[in-house]
Amino acid sequence: MAARRPRALHAVRTIFHADMDAFFVSVEELFDPGLKGKPVVVGGRKDERGVVAAASYAARSYGVHSAMPLRTAAKLCPQAVFLEGHPERYREYSQRIHEILLEFTPQVSMASIDEAYLDMTGTERLWGPPLRAATLLHDRIGARTGLNCSIGIATSKMLAKICSDFAKPNGIAWVPPGMEAAFLAPLHVSRIPGVGRVTEERLHEIGVRKIGDLARLDEDFLLRRFGQWGLALAGKARGADAGAWFAGEIGAYEDPRSISHEHTFSEDVSDAALLEATLARQAEKVGRRLREHRLFARTVELKLRYSDFTTLSRSRTLQEATDVDADLIAVSRELFRTAWKKGAAVRLIGMGVSGLDEAQGQISLLEGEKKERARQALAAVDRIRDRFGEKSVQLAAGMTADDRERVHENPAGLPGKDPRSLRKSR
DNA sequence: TCTGGGGTCCTAGGACCC
DNA sequence: TCTGGGGTCCTAGGACCC
């Protein structure tokens, strides 16, 4: 078969994937330089339920890595510094980095808080050839933020992402056009973004270990065996941005598809009032974010995880999309009351919305007026929270009976919103 | 290995409609 | 009333990513 050549109409793209090195840990080091060089773990205290969000390179040398339970990390590296972390700082630095990236091209997509894709196609006159442009970008991020990053350069998003891994730490790596297949062939299939533990095992079953093995397989066979995902895999093995994973223009704004909040209790909870109060608080947060995005939700979902880790979800699709807290609270509570085994110990509770739309859809005039008044009241609450903080206003549904009592006892000092603080006082 | 939180996408079965 | 096929929506669960 002849080698696949890019068609003249489709000029070869130049994609950068910029990925911050140990991002959370590095930001912590900016605020506390004494941490530099030490084993540092961000994610929570060493005896907490939870996992490692980021580990310094010193901690990694003990086998600590992200997604590992904190308690395991503490066993591997007891002398590590364990930090809760500062999400606001990470968001702020992420935004600064985004601004720097935009100086190089308007075609920037933040893929997460610490990584981004840039479409640098056609910027050679401005920034020079890819390696030079990447060096300028790398050094500018370092100079302005004090943070290290790694940059992968390739002809597709997927390849650029794999490539930035090779550049770590603090480097730049490039797969020149035409070298894609040769670069990929010797790599293990698990390096393909989207191939996790399960897919890797299924591929091993059919004798596929290297990406080169995958590239040699027949597309029809992959389609039969893995469905649409199989076709996407075939494309990825050739270095293409196949499947939904890498679809979409770099730099195009996209509304979120879903919004959710969940919480794992430090100890399992079987108190209905506390569970419902937690749920109501989450519904308020979700409602608030819907209004920030000016979106309305059609589907409300509840998530429960019992102490044995069995997890269930229940959802309901509404006739009318909503962005009103009271609706979200009522629906999620109903789902909870139907789904929850009375008295069962709950490890995690959460709720979320999907089926998001900019328009609210058809509603009757009367209903419309009622909803509009509710919406205006919520907008006022949102504004007050903006000025005085999240705790300054609470709707009655978000409180437990204990809370209400305390408000009566002490109208000036509203209770804290952390469910843990509620339990302690029990 | 005692397993977070916030997301995206995919699959599969059943309901319902034409 | 012995029974097809396709499309779309809804629901539940799961893989995967950072």
Side-chain angles (χ1 to χ4, degrees):
Chain A
M1 205 168 78
R4 221 165 246 269
R5 248 173 238 268
R7 281 165 295 171
L9 279 173
H10 264 288
V12 174
R13 294 191 304 162
T14 305
I15 310 296
F16 285 12
H17 181 252
D19 201 349
M20 305 307 296
D21 295 346
F23 182 55
F24 297 170
V25 171
S26 305
V27 173
E28 294 299 332
E29 286 173 357
L30 292 178
F31 287 83
D32 181 1
L35 294 172
K36 273 189 188 154
K38 289 186 186 161
V40 177
V41 171
V42 176
R45 292 194 315 268
K46 63 168 80 177
D47 56 345
E48 256 181 342
R49 268 184 178 174
V51 298
V52 176
S56 68
Y57 285 95
R60 289 181 206 188
S61 70
Y62 290 87
V64 175
H65 57 80
S66 55
M68 168 182 281
L70 290 169
R71 289 167 183 169
T72 309
K75 272 178 205 150
L76 288 172
C77 187
Q79 71 274 37
V81 182
F82 285 78
L83 302 172
E84 298 266 7
H86 299 85
E88 345 73 56
R89 291 179 184 168
Y90 310 149
R91 275 193 294 271
E92 192 204 315
Y93 272 85
S94 180
Q95 215 166 326
R96 282 202 220 173
I97 292 156
H98 190 183
E99 281 160 19
I100 297 169
L101 300 179
L102 285 169
E103 292 169 12
F104 284 75
T105 169
Q107 261 128 289
V108 175
S109 285
M110 294 301 293
S112 72
I113 197 162
D114 72 339
E115 59 174 320
Y117 295 99
L118 291 81
D119 191 338
M120 293 290 285
T121 310
T123 64
E124 289 222 359
R125 270 200 320 167
L126 207 52
W127 301 110
L131 274 176
R132 189 180 131 76
T135 306
L136 286 170
L137 174 59
H138 175 273
D139 293 352
R140 190 172 292 186
I141 290 175
R144 298 249 194 101
T145 67
L147 297 170
N148 288 343
C149 70
S150 300
I151 300 175
I153 309 166
T155 53
S156 70
K157 286 200 264 185
M158 187 206 65
L159 262 170
K161 182 168 172 57
I162 294 177
C163 207
S164 68
D165 241 7
F166 276 77
K168 282 191 176 298
N170 203 22
I172 296 168
W174 180 35
V175 178
M179 301 294 289
E180 292 86 355
F183 168 74
L184 285 172
L187 303 185
H188 197 265
V189 281
S190 62
R191 302 209 69 141
I192 297 175
V195 174
R197 188 178 45 83
V198 174
T199 309
E200 186 188 331
E201 269 168 36
R202 291 187 66 192
L203 286 170
H204 281 179
E205 280 168 21
I206 56 172
V208 170
R209 305 194 102 82
K210 301 286 171 63
I211 299 180
D213 303 335
L214 185 58
R216 274 189 292 275
L217 288 181
D218 184 52
E219 283 200 3
D220 286 334
F221 169 75
L222 285 169
L223 179 62
R224 279 198 307 277
R225 184 117 186 163
F226 296 99
Q228 286 303 308
W229 173 229
L231 280 190
L233 275 178
K236 286 164 187 272
R238 292 192 307 263
D241 282 334
W245 213 284
F246 291 103
E249 199 90 348
I250 294 177
Y253 174 78
E254 285 181 30
D255 278 329
R257 307 292 174 96
S258 64
I259 296 173
S260 64
H261 281 284
E262 59 187 56
H263 179 70
T264 298
F265 297 103
S266 52
E267 285 166 59
D268 299 345
V269 170
S270 39
D271 171 359
L274 176 53
L275 291 169
E276 290 195 9
T278 306
L279 193 57
R281 197 105 55 193
Q282 291 169 334
E284 285 175 12
K285 285 195 208 163
V286 165
R288 167 141 212 212
R289 288 174 58 202
L290 275 174
R291 296 188 289 281
E292 278 168 6
H293 285 283
R294 298 185 191 287
L295 290 172
F296 297 84
R298 278 249 292 146
T299 303
V300 178
E301 178 172 305
L302 167 84
K303 182 170 165 185
L304 282 180
R305 177 169 290 151
Y306 291 115
S307 45
D308 67 355
F309 220 74
T310 54
T311 306
L312 61 87
S313 66
R314 292 290 179 268
S315 67
R316 177 175 307 162
T317 299
L318 312 172
Q319 291 224 290
E320 311 294 349
T322 185
D323 69 345
V324 176
D325 292 357
D327 292 344
L328 302 175
I329 291 171
V331 177
S332 56
R333 183 163 51 202
E334 221 181 299
L335 289 168
F336 169 72
R337 289 183 179 172
T338 313
W340 183 51
K341 278 183 291 178
K342 264 224 165 81
V346 171
R347 178 191 175 91
L348 170 152
I349 191 166
M351 67 84 58
V353 293
S354 57
L356 307 186
D357 207 330
E358 281 163 24
Q360 189 177 8
Q362 294 286 315
I363 52 171
S364 75
L365 209 56
L366 192 71
E367 277 298 294
E369 276 175 23
K370 264 188 357 205
K371 298 236 166 174
E372 186 50 37
R373 276 200 297 278
R375 184 159 307 112
Q376 280 170 10
L378 284 173
V381 170
D382 289 347
R383 281 195 297 276
I384 292 170
R385 284 178 172 160
D386 278 341
R387 289 190 57 192
F388 303 111
E390 200 61 42
K391 292 178 189 174
S392 58
V393 182
Q394 278 189 28
L395 301 181
M399 303 187 187
T400 62
D402 282 8
D403 287 340
R404 280 187 217 110
E405 244 164 60
R406 245 171 299 162
V407 176
H408 282 296
E409 286 164 9
N410 176 20
L414 286 165
K417 65 178 183 120
D418 184 352
R420 275 176 291 191
S421 68
L422 296 180
R423 193 184 28 262
K424 273 188 203 130
S425 66
R426 250 155 229 286

